[in-house]
Amino acid sequence: MLQKDCLLEWKSILSNILFGLEIKKKKTKENIQYAEELLKKYNLYDFKDKYPSELSGGMRQRVALIRTLAIRPKILLLDEAFSALDYQTRIMVTNDIYSILKRENINVIMVTHDISEAISMSDRVIVLSKRPGTIKNIHKIEFDSKNKTPLDTREDPKFSSYFNILWKELGAYEK
């Protein structure tokens, strides 16, 4: 899933979601039904006949995620998936997508430059060096409650501690 939702403006939401199945030649009755179930489950079924221009940025990102989930991936790569959204929408969509990924039990590798996003969405944060990129450090992220959402974790006292550690490691903080 990329920075932009890459929805095809001339296709309906349902057609956009089924597009990946068409490309992979997996557009079966069972997979179409699964895609429709995902739309219902994530409150977008009523918009299935609408077009991307009729949706908010957050809804478009959820459609892009459902399109990706419809092909039943074993692992998902999120490459700056929320960076095109304004800050408030970004936080809310992060919360929604985190919940969807947890419910669907999908493993995710997320690329982000947003330290807060990395901490709130991850079990581990891998810090890369400057080019050529090598692994500089791996931080295990643990909050007391396993049921916390990304929004909840931002209020946890451990959040600012993780943030400061990562901020310093990235060389962005000097006293």
Side-chain angles (χ1 to χ4, degrees), residues 99-149:
S99 297
I100 292 169
L101 295 171
K102 284 293 183 196
R103 269 186 255 141
E104 299 300 323
N105 198 27
I106 302 284
N107 291 312
V108 177
I109 295 174
M110 183 172 77
V111 175
T112 184
H113 289 89
D114 185 323
I115 297 171
S116 297
E117 186 175 271
I119 296 166
S120 67
M121 298 254 324
S122 306
D123 297 325
R124 281 175 282 171
V125 173
I126 300 171
V127 178
L128 300 178
S129 68
K130 292 182 181 180
R131 291 183 187 175
T134 59
I135 295 176
K136 191 173 178 181
N137 206 344
I138 300 174
H139 298 272
K140 191 168 181 144
I141 306 295
E142 295 177 319
F143 292 101
D144 294 331
S145 173
K146 292 290 182 199
N147 296 324
K148 283 192 174 183
T149 65

Short mmCIF file of all heavy atoms in Angstrom, two decimals, residues 99-149:
data_model
loop_
_atom_site.label_atom_id
_atom_site.label_comp_id
_atom_site.label_asym_id
_atom_site.label_seq_id
_atom_site.Cartn_x
_atom_site.Cartn_y
_atom_site.Cartn_z
N SER A 99 -6.53 -1.20 13.46
CA SER A 99 -7.59 -2.11 13.93
C SER A 99 -7.92 -3.16 12.87
O SER A 99 -8.09 -4.33 13.18
CB SER A 99 -8.85 -1.31 14.28
OG SER A 99 -8.59 -0.44 15.33
N ILE A 100 -8.00 -2.73 11.62
CA ILE A 100 -8.30 -3.66 10.53
C ILE A 100 -7.20 -4.71 10.42
O ILE A 100 -7.48 -5.91 10.34
CB ILE A 100 -8.46 -2.91 9.19
CG1 ILE A 100 -9.73 -2.04 9.22
CG2 ILE A 100 -8.48 -3.88 8.01
CD1 ILE A 100 -9.85 -1.06 8.06
N LEU A 101 -5.95 -4.28 10.45
CA LEU A 101 -4.83 -5.21 10.31
C LEU A 101 -4.78 -6.20 11.47
O LEU A 101 -4.48 -7.38 11.28
CB LEU A 101 -3.52 -4.45 10.17
CG LEU A 101 -3.40 -3.61 8.89
CD1 LEU A 101 -2.16 -2.73 8.95
CD2 LEU A 101 -3.39 -4.49 7.66
N LYS A 102 -5.09 -5.74 12.68
CA LYS A 102 -5.12 -6.63 13.84
C LYS A 102 -6.23 -7.66 13.68
O LYS A 102 -6.03 -8.85 13.92
CB LYS A 102 -5.31 -5.83 15.14
CG LYS A 102 -4.08 -5.12 15.60
CD LYS A 102 -3.01 -6.10 16.03
CE LYS A 102 -1.80 -5.40 16.55
NZ LYS A 102 -0.62 -6.23 16.64
N ARG A 103 -7.42 -7.19 13.30
CA ARG A 103 -8.56 -8.11 13.13
C ARG A 103 -8.32 -9.13 12.04
O ARG A 103 -8.71 -10.29 12.15
CB ARG A 103 -9.83 -7.33 12.83
CG ARG A 103 -10.60 -6.97 14.08
CD ARG A 103 -11.92 -6.34 13.75
NE ARG A 103 -11.73 -4.92 14.04
CZ ARG A 103 -12.20 -3.92 13.33
NH1 ARG A 103 -12.92 -4.13 12.27
NH2 ARG A 103 -11.97 -2.68 13.66
N GLU A 104 -7.67 -8.71 10.96
CA GLU A 104 -7.41 -9.60 9.83
C GLU A 104 -6.14 -10.43 10.04
O GLU A 104 -5.82 -11.28 9.24
CB GLU A 104 -7.31 -8.81 8.53
CG GLU A 104 -8.57 -8.04 8.16
CD GLU A 104 -9.79 -8.92 7.98
OE1 GLU A 104 -9.67 -10.05 7.45
OE2 GLU A 104 -10.89 -8.49 8.39
N ASN A 105 -5.42 -10.15 11.12
CA ASN A 105 -4.20 -10.88 11.50
C ASN A 105 -3.16 -10.87 10.36
O ASN A 105 -2.65 -11.91 9.97
CB ASN A 105 -4.55 -12.31 11.93
CG ASN A 105 -3.43 -12.93 12.72
OD1 ASN A 105 -2.65 -12.24 13.37
ND2 ASN A 105 -3.33 -14.24 12.67
N ILE A 106 -2.88 -9.67 9.86
CA ILE A 106 -1.92 -9.49 8.77
C ILE A 106 -0.60 -8.98 9.34
O ILE A 106 -0.58 -8.05 10.14
CB ILE A 106 -2.45 -8.46 7.74
CG1 ILE A 106 -3.79 -8.88 7.16
CG2 ILE A 106 -1.43 -8.19 6.65
CD1 ILE A 106 -3.75 -9.97 6.15
N ASN A 107 0.49 -9.58 8.92
CA ASN A 107 1.82 -9.09 9.28
C ASN A 107 2.16 -7.91 8.37
O ASN A 107 1.89 -7.95 7.17
CB ASN A 107 2.87 -10.18 9.10
CG ASN A 107 2.70 -11.28 10.11
OD1 ASN A 107 2.57 -11.02 11.29
ND2 ASN A 107 2.71 -12.52 9.65
N VAL A 108 2.76 -6.88 8.97
CA VAL A 108 3.01 -5.65 8.23
C VAL A 108 4.45 -5.20 8.40
O VAL A 108 5.00 -5.27 9.50
CB VAL A 108 2.08 -4.52 8.75
CG1 VAL A 108 2.36 -3.21 8.05
CG2 VAL A 108 0.62 -4.91 8.60
N ILE A 109 5.02 -4.74 7.30
CA ILE A 109 6.28 -3.99 7.34
C ILE A 109 5.90 -2.58 6.92
O ILE A 109 5.32 -2.38 5.85
CB ILE A 109 7.34 -4.57 6.38
CG1 ILE A 109 7.73 -5.97 6.84
CG2 ILE A 109 8.55 -3.64 6.31
CD1 ILE A 109 8.66 -6.69 5.89
N MET A 110 6.16 -1.63 7.80
CA MET A 110 5.76 -0.26 7.54
C MET A 110 7.00 0.62 7.41
O MET A 110 7.87 0.61 8.27
CB MET A 110 4.89 0.26 8.69
CG MET A 110 4.39 1.64 8.47
SD MET A 110 3.18 2.16 9.70
CE MET A 110 4.24 2.50 11.08
N VAL A 111 7.06 1.37 6.32
CA VAL A 111 8.12 2.34 6.11
C VAL A 111 7.53 3.71 6.42
O VAL A 111 6.50 4.08 5.85
CB VAL A 111 8.64 2.31 4.65
CG1 VAL A 111 9.66 3.40 4.42
CG2 VAL A 111 9.19 0.94 4.30
N THR A 112 8.16 4.42 7.34
CA THR A 112 7.68 5.76 7.69
C THR A 112 8.83 6.61 8.21
O THR A 112 9.80 6.10 8.74
CB THR A 112 6.55 5.70 8.75
OG1 THR A 112 6.06 7.02 8.99
CG2 THR A 112 7.01 5.09 10.05
N HIS A 113 8.68 7.92 8.03
CA HIS A 113 9.62 8.88 8.61
C HIS A 113 9.01 9.52 9.85
O HIS A 113 9.64 10.35 10.49
CB HIS A 113 9.98 9.96 7.58
CG HIS A 113 10.84 9.45 6.49
ND1 HIS A 113 10.31 8.91 5.33
CD2 HIS A 113 12.17 9.37 6.38
CE1 HIS A 113 11.30 8.53 4.55
NE2 HIS A 113 12.44 8.80 5.16
N ASP A 114 7.78 9.14 10.17
CA ASP A 114 7.05 9.71 11.30
C ASP A 114 7.30 8.85 12.54
O ASP A 114 6.78 7.74 12.65
CB ASP A 114 5.56 9.76 10.96
CG ASP A 114 4.71 10.44 12.00
OD1 ASP A 114 4.99 10.28 13.20
OD2 ASP A 114 3.75 11.12 11.61
N ILE A 115 8.09 9.38 13.47
CA ILE A 115 8.46 8.62 14.67
C ILE A 115 7.22 8.24 15.47
O ILE A 115 7.09 7.10 15.92
CB ILE A 115 9.45 9.43 15.54
CG1 ILE A 115 10.75 9.68 14.78
CG2 ILE A 115 9.74 8.71 16.86
CD1 ILE A 115 11.69 10.66 15.48
N SER A 116 6.30 9.17 15.64
CA SER A 116 5.08 8.88 16.41
C SER A 116 4.27 7.77 15.78
O SER A 116 3.75 6.89 16.47
CB SER A 116 4.23 10.15 16.53
OG SER A 116 4.92 11.14 17.24
N GLU A 117 4.16 7.79 14.48
CA GLU A 117 3.43 6.75 13.74
C GLU A 117 4.11 5.40 13.94
O GLU A 117 3.45 4.39 14.20
CB GLU A 117 3.40 7.14 12.27
CG GLU A 117 2.58 6.25 11.39
CD GLU A 117 2.55 6.82 9.98
OE1 GLU A 117 1.63 7.63 9.71
OE2 GLU A 117 3.43 6.48 9.17
N ALA A 118 5.42 5.38 13.84
CA ALA A 118 6.18 4.13 14.02
C ALA A 118 5.94 3.55 15.41
O ALA A 118 5.68 2.35 15.55
CB ALA A 118 7.66 4.37 13.78
N ILE A 119 6.03 4.37 16.43
CA ILE A 119 5.85 3.90 17.80
C ILE A 119 4.43 3.41 18.04
O ILE A 119 4.22 2.34 18.61
CB ILE A 119 6.19 5.02 18.82
CG1 ILE A 119 7.66 5.41 18.72
CG2 ILE A 119 5.84 4.59 20.24
CD1 ILE A 119 8.00 6.71 19.41
N SER A 120 3.46 4.18 17.59
CA SER A 120 2.06 3.85 17.89
C SER A 120 1.53 2.64 17.12
O SER A 120 0.59 2.00 17.56
CB SER A 120 1.16 5.07 17.63
OG SER A 120 1.11 5.37 16.26
N MET A 121 2.16 2.29 16.01
CA MET A 121 1.66 1.19 15.18
C MET A 121 2.47 -0.09 15.29
O MET A 121 2.06 -1.11 14.76
CB MET A 121 1.65 1.61 13.70
CG MET A 121 0.77 2.76 13.37
SD MET A 121 -0.75 2.43 12.50
CE MET A 121 -0.53 1.14 11.37
N SER A 122 3.62 -0.05 15.96
CA SER A 122 4.57 -1.15 15.81
C SER A 122 4.87 -1.92 17.07
O SER A 122 4.77 -1.40 18.18
CB SER A 122 5.90 -0.59 15.27
OG SER A 122 5.68 0.14 14.10
N ASP A 123 5.31 -3.16 16.86
CA ASP A 123 5.87 -3.98 17.93
C ASP A 123 7.38 -3.79 18.00
O ASP A 123 7.98 -3.94 19.04
CB ASP A 123 5.60 -5.47 17.68
CG ASP A 123 4.12 -5.79 17.67
OD1 ASP A 123 3.38 -5.17 18.44
OD2 ASP A 123 3.71 -6.66 16.89
N ARG A 124 7.94 -3.47 16.85
CA ARG A 124 9.38 -3.21 16.74
C ARG A 124 9.60 -2.06 15.77
O ARG A 124 8.91 -1.97 14.76
CB ARG A 124 10.14 -4.43 16.21
CG ARG A 124 10.38 -5.47 17.27
CD ARG A 124 11.02 -6.68 16.67
NE ARG A 124 9.92 -7.40 16.01
CZ ARG A 124 10.06 -8.43 15.22
NH1 ARG A 124 11.25 -8.89 14.96
NH2 ARG A 124 9.03 -9.03 14.69
N VAL A 125 10.61 -1.23 16.08
CA VAL A 125 11.00 -0.15 15.18
C VAL A 125 12.45 -0.41 14.81
O VAL A 125 13.32 -0.54 15.67
CB VAL A 125 10.85 1.24 15.84
CG1 VAL A 125 11.42 2.32 14.95
CG2 VAL A 125 9.38 1.52 16.18
N ILE A 126 12.69 -0.48 13.51
CA ILE A 126 14.04 -0.68 13.00
C ILE A 126 14.52 0.67 12.48
O ILE A 126 13.91 1.25 11.57
CB ILE A 126 14.07 -1.75 11.89
CG1 ILE A 126 13.57 -3.08 12.45
CG2 ILE A 126 15.48 -1.88 11.30
CD1 ILE A 126 13.34 -4.15 11.42
N VAL A 127 15.61 1.16 13.06
CA VAL A 127 16.17 2.44 12.65
C VAL A 127 17.28 2.15 11.64
O VAL A 127 18.17 1.34 11.89
CB VAL A 127 16.75 3.21 13.86
CG1 VAL A 127 17.39 4.52 13.41
CG2 VAL A 127 15.65 3.48 14.89
N LEU A 128 17.19 2.81 10.49
CA LEU A 128 18.19 2.64 9.45
C LEU A 128 19.17 3.80 9.48
O LEU A 128 18.82 4.93 9.84
CB LEU A 128 17.52 2.56 8.08
CG LEU A 128 16.53 1.42 7.88
CD1 LEU A 128 15.91 1.51 6.49
CD2 LEU A 128 17.19 0.08 8.09
N SER A 129 20.38 3.53 9.05
CA SER A 129 21.41 4.57 8.93
C SER A 129 21.16 5.38 7.67
O SER A 129 20.32 5.02 6.84
CB SER A 129 22.79 3.92 8.88
OG SER A 129 22.94 3.21 7.65
N LYS A 130 21.95 6.45 7.52
CA LYS A 130 21.90 7.20 6.26
C LYS A 130 22.46 6.31 5.16
O LYS A 130 23.02 5.26 5.42
CB LYS A 130 22.72 8.48 6.40
CG LYS A 130 22.10 9.46 7.37
CD LYS A 130 22.90 10.73 7.45
CE LYS A 130 22.24 11.66 8.45
NZ LYS A 130 22.95 12.91 8.60
N ARG A 131 22.30 6.75 3.94
CA ARG A 131 22.75 5.96 2.79
C ARG A 131 24.21 5.62 2.87
O ARG A 131 25.00 6.46 3.24
CB ARG A 131 22.45 6.72 1.50
CG ARG A 131 20.99 6.79 1.26
CD ARG A 131 20.69 7.47 -0.04
NE ARG A 131 19.23 7.64 -0.08
CZ ARG A 131 18.60 8.28 -1.01
NH1 ARG A 131 19.24 8.80 -2.00
NH2 ARG A 131 17.31 8.38 -0.97
N PRO A 132 24.56 4.43 2.50
CA PRO A 132 23.64 3.33 2.15
C PRO A 132 22.98 2.80 3.41
O PRO A 132 23.61 2.63 4.45
CB PRO A 132 24.56 2.28 1.53
CG PRO A 132 25.89 2.51 2.17
CD PRO A 132 25.96 3.99 2.45
N GLY A 133 21.69 2.60 3.35
CA GLY A 133 20.91 2.21 4.52
C GLY A 133 21.27 0.83 5.07
O GLY A 133 21.19 -0.16 4.36
N THR A 134 21.69 0.83 6.30
CA THR A 134 21.93 -0.42 7.03
C THR A 134 21.16 -0.33 8.34
O THR A 134 20.79 0.76 8.78
CB THR A 134 23.44 -0.64 7.32
OG1 THR A 134 23.91 0.46 8.08
CG2 THR A 134 24.24 -0.77 6.04
N ILE A 135 20.93 -1.47 8.96
CA ILE A 135 20.21 -1.47 10.23
C ILE A 135 21.12 -0.90 11.31
O ILE A 135 22.19 -1.43 11.58
CB ILE A 135 19.72 -2.88 10.60
CG1 ILE A 135 18.68 -3.35 9.58
CG2 ILE A 135 19.14 -2.90 12.02
CD1 ILE A 135 18.19 -4.76 9.78
N LYS A 136 20.67 0.18 11.90
CA LYS A 136 21.41 0.86 12.95
C LYS A 136 21.04 0.29 14.32
O LYS A 136 21.89 0.10 15.18
CB LYS A 136 21.09 2.36 12.88
CG LYS A 136 21.95 3.25 13.69
CD LYS A 136 21.60 4.71 13.36
CE LYS A 136 22.40 5.68 14.18
NZ LYS A 136 22.04 7.06 13.86
N ASN A 137 19.73 0.03 14.51
CA ASN A 137 19.25 -0.48 15.78
C ASN A 137 17.83 -1.02 15.62
O ASN A 137 17.11 -0.59 14.71
CB ASN A 137 19.27 0.63 16.83
CG ASN A 137 19.40 0.10 18.25
OD1 ASN A 137 19.18 -1.08 18.51
ND2 ASN A 137 19.76 0.98 19.17
N ILE A 138 17.46 -1.94 16.50
CA ILE A 138 16.09 -2.46 16.53
C ILE A 138 15.56 -2.23 17.94
O ILE A 138 16.18 -2.64 18.92
CB ILE A 138 16.04 -3.97 16.19
CG1 ILE A 138 16.59 -4.21 14.78
CG2 ILE A 138 14.61 -4.49 16.32
CD1 ILE A 138 16.73 -5.67 14.40
N HIS A 139 14.43 -1.55 18.02
CA HIS A 139 13.81 -1.24 19.31
C HIS A 139 12.51 -2.03 19.46
O HIS A 139 11.64 -1.94 18.59
CB HIS A 139 13.48 0.25 19.42
CG HIS A 139 14.69 1.12 19.34
ND1 HIS A 139 15.42 1.46 20.45
CD2 HIS A 139 15.30 1.72 18.28
CE1 HIS A 139 16.43 2.23 20.08
NE2 HIS A 139 16.38 2.40 18.77
N LYS A 140 12.38 -2.76 20.53
CA LYS A 140 11.14 -3.46 20.83
C LYS A 140 10.20 -2.46 21.50
O LYS A 140 10.58 -1.79 22.46
CB LYS A 140 11.41 -4.66 21.74
CG LYS A 140 10.24 -5.57 21.89
CD LYS A 140 10.62 -6.87 22.53
CE LYS A 140 9.37 -7.72 22.61
NZ LYS A 140 9.63 -9.10 22.41
N ILE A 141 9.00 -2.34 20.99
CA ILE A 141 8.02 -1.39 21.52
C ILE A 141 6.98 -2.18 22.31
O ILE A 141 6.31 -3.05 21.77
CB ILE A 141 7.32 -0.60 20.37
CG1 ILE A 141 8.34 0.07 19.45
CG2 ILE A 141 6.31 0.38 20.93
CD1 ILE A 141 9.17 1.14 20.08
N GLU A 142 6.88 -1.87 23.59
CA GLU A 142 5.94 -2.59 24.46
C GLU A 142 5.16 -1.61 25.31
O GLU A 142 5.74 -0.79 26.01
CB GLU A 142 6.70 -3.56 25.37
CG GLU A 142 7.38 -4.67 24.63
CD GLU A 142 8.19 -5.58 25.55
OE1 GLU A 142 8.86 -5.06 26.47
OE2 GLU A 142 8.15 -6.80 25.34
N PHE A 143 3.86 -1.72 25.23
CA PHE A 143 2.97 -0.96 26.10
C PHE A 143 2.27 -1.96 27.01
O PHE A 143 2.14 -3.14 26.67
CB PHE A 143 1.97 -0.16 25.28
CG PHE A 143 2.61 0.97 24.51
CD1 PHE A 143 2.87 0.84 23.15
CD2 PHE A 143 2.97 2.14 25.15
CE1 PHE A 143 3.48 1.86 22.45
CE2 PHE A 143 3.60 3.16 24.45
CZ PHE A 143 3.85 3.04 23.09
N ASP A 144 1.83 -1.49 28.16
CA ASP A 144 1.26 -2.39 29.16
C ASP A 144 0.02 -3.13 28.67
O ASP A 144 -0.15 -4.30 28.95
CB ASP A 144 0.94 -1.62 30.45
CG ASP A 144 2.21 -1.09 31.11
OD1 ASP A 144 3.27 -1.74 30.95
OD2 ASP A 144 2.15 -0.04 31.77
N SER A 145 -0.81 -2.48 27.91
CA SER A 145 -2.02 -3.12 27.41
C SER A 145 -1.84 -3.53 25.96
O SER A 145 -1.41 -2.74 25.12
CB SER A 145 -3.21 -2.15 27.52
OG SER A 145 -4.34 -2.70 26.88
N LYS A 146 -2.18 -4.76 25.65
CA LYS A 146 -2.08 -5.26 24.27
C LYS A 146 -3.24 -4.75 23.41
O LYS A 146 -3.21 -4.84 22.20
CB LYS A 146 -2.09 -6.80 24.25
CG LYS A 146 -0.85 -7.39 24.87
CD LYS A 146 0.36 -7.16 24.00
CE LYS A 146 1.58 -7.79 24.61
NZ LYS A 146 2.80 -7.27 24.11
N ASN A 147 -4.28 -4.22 24.05
CA ASN A 147 -5.46 -3.78 23.31
C ASN A 147 -5.46 -2.28 23.03
O ASN A 147 -6.47 -1.73 22.63
CB ASN A 147 -6.74 -4.15 24.08
CG ASN A 147 -6.88 -5.65 24.20
OD1 ASN A 147 -6.54 -6.39 23.30
ND2 ASN A 147 -7.38 -6.10 25.33
N LYS A 148 -4.33 -1.62 23.23
CA LYS A 148 -4.27 -0.18 22.97
C LYS A 148 -4.25 0.09 21.48
O LYS A 148 -3.62 -0.61 20.72
CB LYS A 148 -3.02 0.42 23.61
CG LYS A 148 -3.14 0.59 25.09
CD LYS A 148 -2.03 1.44 25.63
CE LYS A 148 -2.28 1.70 27.10
NZ LYS A 148 -1.30 2.57 27.67
N THR A 149 -4.94 1.15 21.11
CA THR A 149 -4.93 1.59 19.72
C THR A 149 -3.79 2.58 19.54
O THR A 149 -3.25 3.09 20.53
CB THR A 149 -6.27 2.30 19.38
OG1 THR A 149 -6.34 3.51 20.16
CG2 THR A 149 -7.46 1.40 19.65
#
